[in-house]
Amino acid sequence: MVTVRDVARKSGFSVGSVSIVLNNAPLARYMSDEAKRRIKEAAHKLGYKPNQFARSLRGIRSHSVGVMVFDVTDPFCTLIIRGIENTLYEQSYLSIFADAHNERSRFERYLEMMLERRVEGLIVVANWLVVDINLLADLERHRIPTVIVARQIQRQSVSSVLVDNENGGRMAIQHLYDLGHRQIAVLRGPKAVEDSGLRWSGIRRFAKSTNLKLDPRLTVDLPDSPDANYSFEAAQHLTADLLQRKLPFTALLAYDDVTAIGAMRALTNAGIRVPEQCSIIGFDDVAAASFTSPALTTVRQPMQAMGATAVQLVSEAIRAGSEKRDFSPVTRLLAPELVVRHSTAIVRR
Amino acid sequence: MVTVRDVARKSGFSVGSVSIVLNNAPLARYMSDEAKRRIKEAAHKLGYKPNQFARSLRGIRSHSVGVMVFDVTDPFCTLIIRGIENTLYEQSYLSIFADAHNERSRFERYLEMMLERRVEGLIVVANWLVVDINLLADLERHRIPTVIVARQIQRQSVSSVLVDNENGGRMAIQHLYDLGHRQIAVLRGPKAVEDSGLRWSGIRRFAKSTNLKLDPRLTVDLPDSPDANYSFEAAQHLTADLLQRKLPFTALLAYDDVTAIGAMRALTNAGIRVPEQCSIIGFDDVAAASFTSPALTTVRQPMQAMGATAVQLVSEAIRAGSEKRDFSPVTRLLAPELVVRHSTAIVRR
DNA sequence: TCCCGAAGTTCGATTTAAATG
DNA sequence: GCATTTAAATCGAACTTCGGG
């Protein structure tokens, strides 16, 4: 292992000078260019890499950010992770990664481990499960910049990044409306999930503004569940039930893509052709959405951008902290985007 | 921050004694039980947590393992990541995570950053892209235990964990054969991907043993590509081409699930019903496989187990290293599993 | 005033050699 | 000499102080 001492010996300067030059410390302006050059050259030749532990021990930056995901298995979050990774990379941060597995105890233990490693910031990807209050209190107790992705939080110290759910809900229903659909079934998400409520209010607002009637008997909720993939089966059953009630509908608006795909399966099984006899629209634009037959029309969440934005927020907050400026947490709502594929069509007359 | 000094003050002993007791060092047997009790109590009361940086600085363990993924976006690797995470968690390791983005330069930079953090071991998830030779040399230069998942490597110092591809290929073809299929199209993976070759040799071996004829005109290769998701489109085109040639086939064996789903789309588009007119079988058992209509029959890779095994191998190697024992790298082949869903059926006469 | 160096201190935990009764 | 405990050195970087030219 090459240390400052080695560089000092090789370059003929003292450890102090080496440290000053290599860190571009204020005192470096008193050093001659020649000295700087020689020191840098020696460092490079020896392949000197400052020991991160020694730096961190001195309370300098740890150059790492904690990334806590609630469920890596959820297809929704892989692109978010890429966005996070990508942007952290650009800013030379390394990420300490943890999959909380939707378990509170894991979350807490990981949080502690991350704090021990002195992460400079924390990004929580809160897919699916409800984040309970105590857990947020945990996040608030420590004083490091925290951003939560895909969930809005009303707290003093935590920023949020998420898609504009209300607007997204509106885009979905409007797309169906524009295609001429008037009898629309809505498969809402679990009641405990806030996203679902927001999307629903976007839907309702649009309906009200256009005098579209949404039959309450055609509006059903997914059950609460800790498993994101379970919603596929649940959606299948709910849709099958819906069909049995013999209430006509020409389109189905689903809470998310997995739900939509489940619904599509139920319709196909019942001999109903998509989109000729029934249109389907999802939400998220998960990878699997383009793999279905027909390919799923959906409202895309800009997941990679969400990840990138999260990193920008923490990194701003970190900078603010180190410069002793204030940084009040913000909520960033990113615009969703309608992706028209082949699961929606003009209504048959 | 509570330090040893605080514990020492509170308990009335010296820092040294505190350290000795709390770490159960050899010298601890000379300390009175009473002293031990009081020290432990004080530490507990103060909520003392040893500073990881200080420990690591002294060359003790860093308690972290690097996890390098070539492409997080690939649905294939999320379950592997979960397996890795899960097992690392059990062993109290924290993971430093990086997404190499299929780029060599990123890989190298991340590798360097990880080494700076003194990761005790390294796990590389080599989905899709070919790992080039130089890169392996990089892995070999440093002396930390390394395991590569999903790729077999003939090197002195790197262990491998992967599915038994050859056997998996055999299982796939045998399933089709058992259903009565004799005219089978095979969509192989890119030539540069070793997995594909191994699966193919399993297929050929089975064919030979049963006198099944595989028409070379029905065997096509996916093009090499840096993007895992591109294979969906490629498979679609290849299958469409195949259909145009008017060579009859009653089943299609695809390199992996994404490929299979692409092929399924092409068949559906051409008005061919799956599985009634053509059976399809995939490989991997990605999440999307159960979402297609009909649900995809496939050969499952035990991805979570692969991740877990990788961790076990590094952790064994780390232990061996710290006890100055030898640990020669091994290759672990995990058994695939046939998952029969609804995309395969008995051949029509 | 400008340029540079030597030496010492700090961070927190571990480990050694040494000192106490 | 023995059982117990402790002071001091160590790890590597960074910053401070003082001092010389």
Side-chain angles (χ1 to χ4, degrees), chain A residues 12-14 17 29-32 35 54 57-58:
Chain A
F13 290 90
S14 71
S17 305
R29 71 197 142 90
Y30 294 135
M31 307 274 293
S32 70
L57 181 56
R58 285 240 31 186

Side-chain angles (χ1 to χ4, degrees), chain B residues 150-322:
Chain B
R151 187 92 35 201
Q152 181 151 17
I153 296 297
Q154 300 299 359
R155 288 279 179 154
Q156 291 96 357
S157 62
V158 180
S159 294
S160 300
V161 177
L162 69 168
V163 75
D164 185 343
N165 278 302
E166 192 162 343
N167 213 7
R170 187 194 52 71
M171 288 167 78
I173 190 91
Q174 175 157 16
H175 174 62
L176 296 176
Y177 185 86
D178 290 348
L179 291 171
H181 296 278
R182 294 298 180 269
Q183 292 166 304
I184 302 173
V186 179
L187 247 171
R188 291 189 298 201
K191 286 216 176 70
V193 177
E194 216 175 308
D195 293 352
S196 178
L198 289 166
R199 289 174 202 172
W200 174 245
S201 65
I203 292 168
R204 247 190 357 205
R205 184 167 305 179
F206 177 83
K208 193 170 281 176
S209 75
T210 54
N211 272 324
L212 170 65
K213 276 234 17 117
L214 291 169
D215 190 335
R217 292 168 303 173
L218 286 175
T219 301
V220 289
D221 296 303
L222 284 171
D224 290 300
S225 151
D227 181 7
N229 291 314
Y230 168 71
S231 65
F232 174 73
E233 285 178 41
Q236 234 181 303
H237 293 141
L238 281 176
T239 310
D241 288 354
L242 218 51
L243 289 170
Q244 279 202 321
R245 288 192 235 158
K246 308 275 184 210
L247 294 167
F249 57 90
T250 63
L252 187 149
L253 190 161
Y255 164 62
D256 67 2
D257 288 344
V258 175
T259 310
I261 296 171
M264 193 187 286
R265 170 83 128 268
L267 291 173
T268 312
N269 284 351
I272 296 170
R273 292 203 315 282
V274 177
E276 292 82 356
Q277 296 173 272
C278 183
S279 289
I280 298 189
I281 188 166
F283 206 103
D284 286 352
D285 196 23
V286 147
S290 56
F291 292 167
T292 56
S293 301
L296 190 69
T297 293
T298 191
V299 176
R300 173 183 296 159
Q301 294 204 43
M303 302 191 259
Q304 214 163 327
M306 284 159 66
T309 307
V311 174
Q312 264 143 21
L313 287 180
V314 270
S315 109
E316 267 179 58
I318 291 170
R319 226 172 307 136
S322 73

Side-chain angles (χ1 to χ4, degrees), chain A residues 163 167-179 253 257 280-285 296-302 335-341 343-344:
Chain A
V163 76
N167 213 8
R170 187 196 50 71
M171 287 168 78
I173 190 90
Q174 175 157 13
H175 174 63
L176 296 176
Y177 186 85
D178 290 348
L179 292 171
L253 190 161
D257 289 344
I280 297 187
I281 188 167
F283 206 104
D284 286 354
D285 195 22
L296 190 68
T297 293
T298 190
V299 176
R300 172 183 296 159
Q301 296 204 42
E337 179 193 354
L338 180 69
V339 179
V340 180
R341 297 208 181 88
S343 69
T344 50

Side-chain angles (χ1 to χ4, degrees), chain A residues 6 35 47 71 105 111 125 164 178 186 191 194 198 208 213 218 237 243 257 287 291 294 304 307 320 329 332 340 346:
Chain A
D6 299 320
D71 182 3
S105 59
L111 184 59
V125 182
D164 184 343
D178 290 348
V186 179
K191 286 216 177 67
E194 215 175 307
L198 289 167
K208 193 170 281 176
K213 272 221 41 97
L218 286 175
H237 294 140
L243 288 170
D257 289 344
F291 291 167
Q304 215 165 325
R332 280 260 216 294
V340 180
I346 292 177

